[in-house]
PDB file of all heavy atoms in Angstrom:
ATOM      1  N   VAL A 222     -14.662 261.094 184.111  1.00 95.00           N
ATOM      2  CA  VAL A 222     -15.319 261.066 185.346  1.00 95.00           C
ATOM      3  C   VAL A 222     -14.477 261.457 186.424  1.00 95.00           C
ATOM      4  O   VAL A 222     -14.754 262.270 187.235  1.00 95.00           O
ATOM      5  CB  VAL A 222     -16.021 259.821 185.634  1.00 95.00           C
ATOM      6  CG1 VAL A 222     -16.596 259.671 187.027  1.00 95.00           C
ATOM      7  CG2 VAL A 222     -17.247 259.514 184.610  1.00 95.00           C
ATOM      8  N   ALA A 223     -13.241 260.961 186.511  1.00 94.00           N
ATOM      9  CA  ALA A 223     -12.226 261.168 187.490  1.00 94.00           C
ATOM     10  C   ALA A 223     -11.778 262.607 187.525  1.00 94.00           C
ATOM     11  O   ALA A 223     -11.431 263.106 188.602  1.00 94.00           O
ATOM     12  CB  ALA A 223     -10.973 260.169 187.339  1.00 94.00           C
ATOM     13  N   GLN A 224     -11.719 263.170 186.357  1.00 94.00           N
ATOM     14  CA  GLN A 224     -11.379 264.657 186.310  1.00 94.00           C
ATOM     15  C   GLN A 224     -12.377 265.568 186.810  1.00 94.00           C
ATOM     16  O   GLN A 224     -12.115 266.814 186.881  1.00 94.00           O
ATOM     17  CB  GLN A 224     -10.954 264.963 184.777  1.00 94.00           C
ATOM     18  CG  GLN A 224      -9.680 264.246 184.309  1.00 94.00           C
ATOM     19  CD  GLN A 224      -9.535 264.258 182.831  1.00 94.00           C
ATOM     20  OE1 GLN A 224     -10.335 264.977 182.146  1.00 94.00           O
ATOM     21  NE2 GLN A 224      -8.572 263.537 182.252  1.00 94.00           N
ATOM     22  N   HIS A 225     -13.641 265.063 187.009  1.00 91.00           N
ATOM     23  CA  HIS A 225     -14.762 265.911 187.449  1.00 91.00           C
ATOM     24  C   HIS A 225     -15.339 265.149 188.635  1.00 91.00           C
ATOM     25  O   HIS A 225     -16.534 264.689 188.603  1.00 91.00           O
ATOM     26  CB  HIS A 225     -15.721 266.150 186.355  1.00 91.00           C
ATOM     27  CG  HIS A 225     -15.144 266.730 185.084  1.00 91.00           C
ATOM     28  ND1 HIS A 225     -14.458 266.098 184.215  1.00 91.00           N
ATOM     29  CD2 HIS A 225     -15.292 268.084 184.759  1.00 91.00           C
ATOM     30  CE1 HIS A 225     -14.075 267.040 183.278  1.00 91.00           C
ATOM     31  NE2 HIS A 225     -14.587 268.249 183.604  1.00 91.00           N
ATOM     32  N   PRO A 226     -14.600 265.137 189.815  1.00 83.00           N
ATOM     33  CA  PRO A 226     -15.134 264.354 190.886  1.00 83.00           C
ATOM     34  C   PRO A 226     -16.302 264.885 191.498  1.00 83.00           C
ATOM     35  O   PRO A 226     -17.159 264.187 192.034  1.00 83.00           O
ATOM     36  CB  PRO A 226     -13.863 264.484 191.958  1.00 83.00           C
ATOM     37  CG  PRO A 226     -13.059 265.619 191.538  1.00 83.00           C
ATOM     38  CD  PRO A 226     -13.281 265.741 190.014  1.00 83.00           C
ATOM     39  N   GLN A 227     -16.486 266.229 191.457  1.00 79.00           N
ATOM     40  CA  GLN A 227     -17.764 266.835 191.964  1.00 79.00           C
ATOM     41  C   GLN A 227     -18.754 267.072 190.871  1.00 79.00           C
ATOM     42  O   GLN A 227     -18.999 268.086 190.392  1.00 79.00           O
ATOM     43  CB  GLN A 227     -17.437 268.154 192.562  1.00 79.00           C
ATOM     44  CG  GLN A 227     -16.391 268.196 193.784  1.00 79.00           C
ATOM     45  CD  GLN A 227     -16.764 267.290 194.825  1.00 79.00           C
ATOM     46  OE1 GLN A 227     -17.940 267.338 195.238  1.00 79.00           O
ATOM     47  NE2 GLN A 227     -15.833 266.557 195.412  1.00 79.00           N
ATOM     48  N   GLN A 228     -19.321 265.909 190.455  1.00 79.00           N
ATOM     49  CA  GLN A 228     -20.203 265.939 189.307  1.00 79.00           C
ATOM     50  C   GLN A 228     -21.537 266.542 189.626  1.00 79.00           C
ATOM     51  O   GLN A 228     -22.294 266.155 190.571  1.00 79.00           O
ATOM     52  CB  GLN A 228     -20.415 264.524 188.772  1.00 79.00           C
ATOM     53  CG  GLN A 228     -19.206 263.779 188.205  1.00 79.00           C
ATOM     54  CD  GLN A 228     -19.627 262.301 187.768  1.00 79.00           C
ATOM     55  OE1 GLN A 228     -20.700 262.128 187.396  1.00 79.00           O
ATOM     56  NE2 GLN A 228     -18.650 261.448 187.898  1.00 79.00           N
ATOM     57  N   ASP A 229     -21.881 267.578 188.912  1.00 90.00           N
ATOM     58  CA  ASP A 229     -23.336 268.175 188.979  1.00 90.00           C
ATOM     59  C   ASP A 229     -24.133 267.350 187.912  1.00 90.00           C
ATOM     60  O   ASP A 229     -23.503 266.546 187.053  1.00 90.00           O
ATOM     61  CB  ASP A 229     -23.323 269.585 188.771  1.00 90.00           C
ATOM     62  CG  ASP A 229     -22.661 270.091 187.430  1.00 90.00           C
ATOM     63  OD1 ASP A 229     -22.773 269.343 186.411  1.00 90.00           O
ATOM     64  OD2 ASP A 229     -22.099 271.124 187.490  1.00 90.00           O
ATOM     65  N   GLU A 230     -25.373 267.509 187.895  1.00 92.00           N
ATOM     66  CA  GLU A 230     -26.229 266.774 187.018  1.00 92.00           C
ATOM     67  C   GLU A 230     -25.857 267.018 185.562  1.00 92.00           C
ATOM     68  O   GLU A 230     -25.899 266.135 184.647  1.00 92.00           O
ATOM     69  CB  GLU A 230     -27.691 267.119 187.271  1.00 92.00           C
ATOM     70  CG  GLU A 230     -28.674 266.335 186.420  1.00 92.00           C
ATOM     71  CD  GLU A 230     -28.734 264.850 186.706  1.00 92.00           C
ATOM     72  OE1 GLU A 230     -28.099 264.412 187.711  1.00 92.00           O
ATOM     73  OE2 GLU A 230     -29.310 264.160 185.931  1.00 92.00           O
ATOM     74  N   GLN A 231     -25.536 268.229 185.277  1.00 95.00           N
ATOM     75  CA  GLN A 231     -25.244 268.652 183.859  1.00 95.00           C
ATOM     76  C   GLN A 231     -23.967 267.932 183.335  1.00 95.00           C
ATOM     77  O   GLN A 231     -23.892 267.545 182.225  1.00 95.00           O
ATOM     78  CB  GLN A 231     -25.158 270.157 183.643  1.00 95.00           C
ATOM     79  CG  GLN A 231     -25.061 270.617 182.170  1.00 95.00           C
ATOM     80  CD  GLN A 231     -26.246 270.146 181.395  1.00 95.00           C
ATOM     81  OE1 GLN A 231     -27.369 270.327 181.738  1.00 95.00           O
ATOM     82  NE2 GLN A 231     -26.052 269.502 180.237  1.00 95.00           N
ATOM     83  N   THR A 232     -22.980 267.964 184.237  1.00 95.00           N
ATOM     84  CA  THR A 232     -21.775 267.189 183.872  1.00 95.00           C
ATOM     85  C   THR A 232     -22.072 265.756 183.593  1.00 95.00           C
ATOM     86  O   THR A 232     -21.456 265.232 182.574  1.00 95.00           O
ATOM     87  CB  THR A 232     -20.689 267.382 185.003  1.00 95.00           C
ATOM     88  OG1 THR A 232     -20.354 268.794 185.132  1.00 95.00           O
ATOM     89  CG2 THR A 232     -19.459 266.565 184.691  1.00 95.00           C
ATOM     90  N   ARG A 233     -22.823 265.079 184.348  1.00 95.00           N
ATOM     91  CA  ARG A 233     -23.121 263.699 184.076  1.00 95.00           C
ATOM     92  C   ARG A 233     -23.853 263.540 182.690  1.00 95.00           C
ATOM     93  O   ARG A 233     -23.548 262.639 181.953  1.00 95.00           O
ATOM     94  CB  ARG A 233     -24.004 263.189 185.245  1.00 95.00           C
ATOM     95  CG  ARG A 233     -23.247 263.104 186.545  1.00 95.00           C
ATOM     96  CD  ARG A 233     -24.068 262.800 187.748  1.00 95.00           C
ATOM     97  NE  ARG A 233     -24.688 261.494 187.741  1.00 95.00           N
ATOM     98  CZ  ARG A 233     -25.944 261.130 187.658  1.00 95.00           C
ATOM     99  NH1 ARG A 233     -26.889 262.126 187.615  1.00 95.00           N
ATOM    100  NH2 ARG A 233     -26.359 259.901 187.710  1.00 95.00           N
ATOM    101  N   CYS A 234     -24.745 264.477 182.490  1.00 97.00           N
ATOM    102  CA  CYS A 234     -25.511 264.530 181.189  1.00 97.00           C
ATOM    103  C   CYS A 234     -24.506 264.661 179.981  1.00 97.00           C
ATOM    104  O   CYS A 234     -24.664 264.070 178.972  1.00 97.00           O
ATOM    105  CB  CYS A 234     -26.485 265.496 181.145  1.00 97.00           C
ATOM    106  SG  CYS A 234     -27.931 265.205 182.296  1.00 97.00           S
ATOM    107  N   ASP A 235     -23.579 265.607 180.221  1.00 97.00           N
ATOM    108  CA  ASP A 235     -22.637 265.836 179.095  1.00 97.00           C
ATOM    109  C   ASP A 235     -21.704 264.663 178.890  1.00 97.00           C
ATOM    110  O   ASP A 235     -21.391 264.482 177.687  1.00 97.00           O
ATOM    111  CB  ASP A 235     -21.765 267.103 179.501  1.00 97.00           C
ATOM    112  CG  ASP A 235     -22.664 268.418 179.545  1.00 97.00           C
ATOM    113  OD1 ASP A 235     -23.781 268.398 179.136  1.00 97.00           O
ATOM    114  OD2 ASP A 235     -22.133 269.430 180.186  1.00 97.00           O
ATOM    115  N   ILE A 236     -21.300 264.030 179.929  1.00 97.00           N
ATOM    116  CA  ILE A 236     -20.397 262.813 179.714  1.00 97.00           C
ATOM    117  C   ILE A 236     -21.245 261.730 178.971  1.00 97.00           C
ATOM    118  O   ILE A 236     -20.684 261.016 178.160  1.00 97.00           O
ATOM    119  CB  ILE A 236     -19.809 262.383 181.087  1.00 97.00           C
ATOM    120  CG1 ILE A 236     -18.826 263.346 181.645  1.00 97.00           C
ATOM    121  CG2 ILE A 236     -19.166 261.049 180.947  1.00 97.00           C
ATOM    122  CD1 ILE A 236     -18.367 263.062 183.017  1.00 97.00           C
ATOM    123  N   ALA A 237     -22.472 261.531 179.458  1.00 97.00           N
ATOM    124  CA  ALA A 237     -23.268 260.509 178.784  1.00 97.00           C
ATOM    125  C   ALA A 237     -23.560 260.859 177.424  1.00 97.00           C
ATOM    126  O   ALA A 237     -23.419 259.901 176.542  1.00 97.00           O
ATOM    127  CB  ALA A 237     -24.603 260.456 179.601  1.00 97.00           C
ATOM    128  N   TYR A 238     -23.689 262.130 177.026  1.00 97.00           N
ATOM    129  CA  TYR A 238     -23.936 262.506 175.605  1.00 97.00           C
ATOM    130  C   TYR A 238     -22.659 262.105 174.739  1.00 97.00           C
ATOM    131  O   TYR A 238     -22.815 261.565 173.690  1.00 97.00           O
ATOM    132  CB  TYR A 238     -24.188 263.969 175.426  1.00 97.00           C
ATOM    133  CG  TYR A 238     -24.400 264.382 174.090  1.00 97.00           C
ATOM    134  CD1 TYR A 238     -25.687 264.435 173.517  1.00 97.00           C
ATOM    135  CD2 TYR A 238     -23.414 264.769 173.202  1.00 97.00           C
ATOM    136  CE1 TYR A 238     -25.875 264.820 172.193  1.00 97.00           C
ATOM    137  CE2 TYR A 238     -23.490 265.064 171.901  1.00 97.00           C
ATOM    138  CZ  TYR A 238     -24.813 265.199 171.373  1.00 97.00           C
ATOM    139  OH  TYR A 238     -25.007 265.415 170.077  1.00 97.00           O
ATOM    140  N   ALA A 239     -21.537 262.472 175.309  1.00 98.00           N
ATOM    141  CA  ALA A 239     -20.250 262.323 174.599  1.00 98.00           C
ATOM    142  C   ALA A 239     -19.941 260.838 174.424  1.00 98.00           C
ATOM    143  O   ALA A 239     -19.480 260.349 173.293  1.00 98.00           O
ATOM    144  CB  ALA A 239     -19.068 262.952 175.302  1.00 98.00           C
ATOM    145  N   PHE A 240     -20.317 260.115 175.395  1.00 98.00           N
ATOM    146  CA  PHE A 240     -19.995 258.562 175.284  1.00 98.00           C
ATOM    147  C   PHE A 240     -20.936 258.084 174.362  1.00 98.00           C
ATOM    148  O   PHE A 240     -20.517 257.192 173.372  1.00 98.00           O
ATOM    149  CB  PHE A 240     -20.185 257.920 176.680  1.00 98.00           C
ATOM    150  CG  PHE A 240     -20.113 256.446 176.577  1.00 98.00           C
ATOM    151  CD1 PHE A 240     -18.884 255.727 176.613  1.00 98.00           C
ATOM    152  CD2 PHE A 240     -21.264 255.640 176.533  1.00 98.00           C
ATOM    153  CE1 PHE A 240     -18.812 254.419 176.455  1.00 98.00           C
ATOM    154  CE2 PHE A 240     -21.200 254.272 176.425  1.00 98.00           C
ATOM    155  CZ  PHE A 240     -20.034 253.642 176.335  1.00 98.00           C
ATOM    156  N   GLN A 241     -22.159 258.261 174.396  1.00 97.00           N
ATOM    157  CA  GLN A 241     -23.219 257.682 173.449  1.00 97.00           C
ATOM    158  C   GLN A 241     -22.928 258.068 172.052  1.00 97.00           C
ATOM    159  O   GLN A 241     -23.006 257.337 171.154  1.00 97.00           O
ATOM    160  CB  GLN A 241     -24.653 258.109 173.873  1.00 97.00           C
ATOM    161  CG  GLN A 241     -25.617 257.597 172.834  1.00 97.00           C
ATOM    162  CD  GLN A 241     -27.146 257.918 173.393  1.00 97.00           C
ATOM    163  OE1 GLN A 241     -27.691 257.042 173.942  1.00 97.00           O
ATOM    164  NE2 GLN A 241     -27.545 259.117 173.045  1.00 97.00           N
ATOM    165  N   ALA A 242     -22.563 259.428 171.819  1.00 98.00           N
ATOM    166  CA  ALA A 242     -22.224 259.867 170.505  1.00 98.00           C
ATOM    167  C   ALA A 242     -21.042 259.131 169.899  1.00 98.00           C
ATOM    168  O   ALA A 242     -21.027 258.768 168.689  1.00 98.00           O
ATOM    169  CB  ALA A 242     -21.927 261.419 170.588  1.00 98.00           C
ATOM    170  N   ALA A 243     -20.034 258.791 170.683  1.00 97.00           N
ATOM    171  CA  ALA A 243     -18.932 258.075 170.240  1.00 97.00           C
ATOM    172  C   ALA A 243     -19.272 256.750 169.828  1.00 97.00           C
ATOM    173  O   ALA A 243     -18.743 256.190 168.758  1.00 97.00           O
ATOM    174  CB  ALA A 243     -17.801 258.081 171.340  1.00 97.00           C
ATOM    175  N   VAL A 244     -20.131 255.936 170.657  1.00 97.00           N
ATOM    176  CA  VAL A 244     -20.427 254.570 170.282  1.00 97.00           C
ATOM    177  C   VAL A 244     -21.256 254.638 168.977  1.00 97.00           C
ATOM    178  O   VAL A 244     -21.048 253.810 168.092  1.00 97.00           O
ATOM    179  CB  VAL A 244     -21.260 253.991 171.392  1.00 97.00           C
ATOM    180  CG1 VAL A 244     -21.815 252.649 171.084  1.00 97.00           C
ATOM    181  CG2 VAL A 244     -20.467 253.855 172.718  1.00 97.00           C
TER     182      VAL A 244
END
Side-chain angles (χ1 to χ4, degrees):
V222 170
Q224 291 165 8
H225 299 80
Q227 304 300 322
Q228 293 177 33
D229 55 37
E230 182 68 11
Q231 188 58 51
T232 296
R233 295 167 71 238
C234 292
D235 295 344
I236 293 173
Y238 181 95
F240 173 81
Q241 177 175 263
V244 173

